[in-house]
Amino acid sequence: MHRSVFAAVVLAVPALLTACAERLDPTPEQPAERGRQLLAQYHCGTCHTIPGVDGARGKLAVTLESIGRRSYLAGHVPNGSEQLVQWIVDPASLVPDTTMPRMGVSPEDARDIAVYLRSLR
């Protein structure tokens, strides 16, 4: 094989492998969209009304409409990103007498849920 052809092939292989990998692995979802889907998966709408989440019309707990503009969670906890994640994972760790149960949400899932909830303004 001629040296310039060999060099062209060697340079093309990484690009071809990348293109193949992208076809096999779908583009990861954006955190907000994944968070919206996770709210449905964890059945958060059983208790909460959540805009944008199909069937999330619960009336047992506060609506999550405009939660991204609220100053506090559960009336006591500053509504920052890390606090919201902690609240979603383990609400009683922030407010011991809360009626919100621990739902088994992983920290990774909670981060994406928090991204979606903070977008509700």
Side-chain angles (χ1 to χ4, degrees):
M1 186 182 294
H2 195 271
R3 188 171 253 187
S4 63
V5 173
F6 179 76
V9 170
V10 168
L11 292 173
V13 169
L16 290 171
L17 290 175
T18 300
C20 289
E22 288 173 358
R23 290 186 131 188
L24 294 174
D25 295 329
T27 305
E29 298 171 45
Q30 295 298 319
E33 175 57 22
R34 184 171 182 273
R36 187 185 67 77
Q37 293 172 0
L38 288 167
L39 284 161
Q41 178 184 319
Y42 283 105
H43 303 284
C44 300
T46 301
C47 295
H48 297 280
T49 296
I50 312 168
V53 177
D54 290 338
R57 294 185 203 96
K59 303 288 184 200
L60 295 173
V62 298
T63 180
L64 298 181
E65 183 176 15
S66 303
I67 190 171
R69 289 194 322 217
R70 295 183 196 162
S71 299
Y72 293 94
L73 303 168
H76 303 288
V77 180
N79 188 9
S81 296
E82 291 304 313
Q83 293 89 341
L84 183 55
V85 169
Q86 185 176 351
W87 176 258
I88 293 166
V89 171
D90 186 9
S93 70
L94 295 172
V95 180
D97 61 345
T98 185
T99 57
M100 183 166 157
R102 188 174 187 156
M103 298 296 294
V105 179
S106 71
E108 178 185 0
D109 287 353
R111 280 189 288 279
D112 289 345
I113 290 170
V115 168
Y116 180 75
L117 292 177
R118 293 188 60 75
S119 76
L120 299 177
R121 298 192 159 271

